[in-house]
Amino acid sequence: MKMSVMIGFATGIGLAAMGLAETHDIAVGSTYYEPQFVFVQPGDTINWFWEEGTHDVTSGESCGNDDSLFASGDISIDFPNFQWTVSSLAPNVMEYFCSRGGHCVNGNQFGALIQGNGVIHEISTDGFSFSPPVLTGVNVGDTVIWVHGGGTHSVTFGEDCVAEDGGLNEELSNLNPMVFWQVPESAAGSTQNYFCTPHCGFLMTASIEINEGGGNDCPSDVNGDGTTNVDDLLQLLGEFGTDCTVEECTCDVDGSGAVDVNDLLSMLGFYGEDC
């Protein structure tokens, strides 16, 4: 019995592997990366391609802290492409920036590759406020990104201007233009309050409302037989690439509205579980 399960599993993995790795195209222009934030998985290839100007792609934080994970050299009309493949050892969040001139500090030319799935939610600063001040529709596994919109601020978890022990507390400025939070399971059903430390007295406060869990402890059991197994994998592969907003589908494991590589990876994470 175990042998047949392993053979079925290997068959499922072999079929799944054909659609596992993706290529993500990111335009490089003056002064932008588009899209700025991309969900990736190990094995994916990132293709930055030139649109205008002369720029580069340098991994690291804070518009200048090169961490040597990848570096493109010039991306220009003469050198229009740079490709990099995500390693299995890569960190969950890989920030990068353009190191030429003041393109990062003054032009907001920065971006990030994020290992995971779910939804990316962006929050910006606008004077002495966060925009939006209340972020709703957030689920466990989503990524919240605060993007510098001017001034020098912080993202500090807590309320009544008192920082939460062990909570997020990072500067948000033109030198550190991005702050990331990947929503953990422990936050399900809660409201995360936060504030800007230097401007809390100006009522620069905000909150994030996180939804309760979906109630399905085994969402990858798409055929409802009580186990995530090769039959579920084959059903997902049969629906792979389906837009669930247009066609009915059963294999949108992560609820993103499409059956894609993130659903496949989620299913593999549940493989063999008794639901």
Side-chain angles (χ1 to χ4, degrees):
M1 179 67 176
K2 286 186 177 180
M3 179 61 70
S4 64
V5 169
M6 290 303 296
I7 291 172
F9 179 75
T11 301
I13 292 294
L15 289 169
M18 293 189 294
L20 187 57
E22 293 186 321
T23 296
H24 305 273
D25 292 322
I26 300 176
V28 181
S30 182
T31 47
Y32 60 82
Y33 301 114
E34 178 59 41
Q36 189 173 20
F37 306 113
V38 179
F39 275 130
V40 300
Q41 302 291 344
D44 286 1
T45 296
I46 318 303
N47 175 49
W48 288 271
F49 65 93
W50 176 83
E51 285 197 336
E52 57 181 326
T54 299
H55 308 279
D56 65 19
V57 173
T58 301
S59 64
E61 302 177 2
S62 305
C63 288
N65 294 333
D66 181 356
D67 64 12
S68 301
L69 186 63
F70 51 81
S72 66
D74 284 349
I75 297 178
S76 66
I77 192 171
D78 296 318
F79 305 96
N81 290 86
F82 170 65
Q83 293 190 343
W84 181 74
T85 299
V86 181
S87 165
S88 60
L89 302 178
N92 279 349
V93 177
M94 294 155 273
E95 299 180 47
Y96 64 90
F97 58 93
C98 178
S99 68
R100 295 185 65 88
H103 292 183
C104 182
V105 174
N106 300 317
N108 293 333
Q109 192 166 17
F110 49 81
L113 311 175
I114 304 163
Q115 292 202 60
N117 49 39
V119 175
I120 293 174
H121 306 270
E122 292 187 39
I123 300 172
S124 182
T125 54
D126 181 10
F128 294 146
S129 64
F130 294 101
S131 181
V134 179
L135 180 64
T136 61
V138 179
N139 294 301
V140 169
D142 287 357
T143 299
V144 180
I145 307 175
W146 288 265
V147 179
H148 177 245
T152 298
H153 305 285
S154 78
V155 178
T156 304
F157 281 6
E159 52 188 317
D160 298 326
C161 299
V162 178
E164 183 180 292
D165 288 343
L168 184 67
N169 186 11
E170 290 189 28
E171 179 182 291
L172 185 63
S173 66
N174 62 347
L175 293 176
N176 189 55
M178 299 176 284
V179 174
F180 297 83
W181 183 50
Q182 293 183 300
V183 183
E185 290 186 10
S186 59
S190 69
T191 296
Q192 180 62 64
N193 297 304
Y194 65 95
F195 59 91
C196 169
T197 298
H199 302 122
C200 192
F202 292 92
L203 302 181
M204 191 170 180
T205 62
S207 63
I208 302 168
E209 297 180 0
I210 300 103
N211 295 328
E212 289 279 2
N216 184 356
D217 293 331
C218 200
S220 54
D221 177 23
V222 294
N223 66 0
D225 67 357
T227 305
T228 301
N229 56 25
V230 68
D231 294 328
D232 300 294
L233 276 173
L234 292 172
Q235 185 167 326
L236 185 148
L237 290 171
E239 292 186 8
F240 197 88
T242 300
D243 182 346
C244 302
T245 65
V246 177
E247 302 178 46
E248 184 177 350
C249 57
T250 61
C251 298
D252 181 17
V253 178
D254 64 1
S256 67
V259 180
D260 55 20
V261 67
N262 294 321
D263 299 299
L264 176 58
L265 291 170
S266 295
M267 181 173 287
L268 292 176
F270 284 101
Y271 196 89
E273 286 199 13
D274 183 350
C275 303

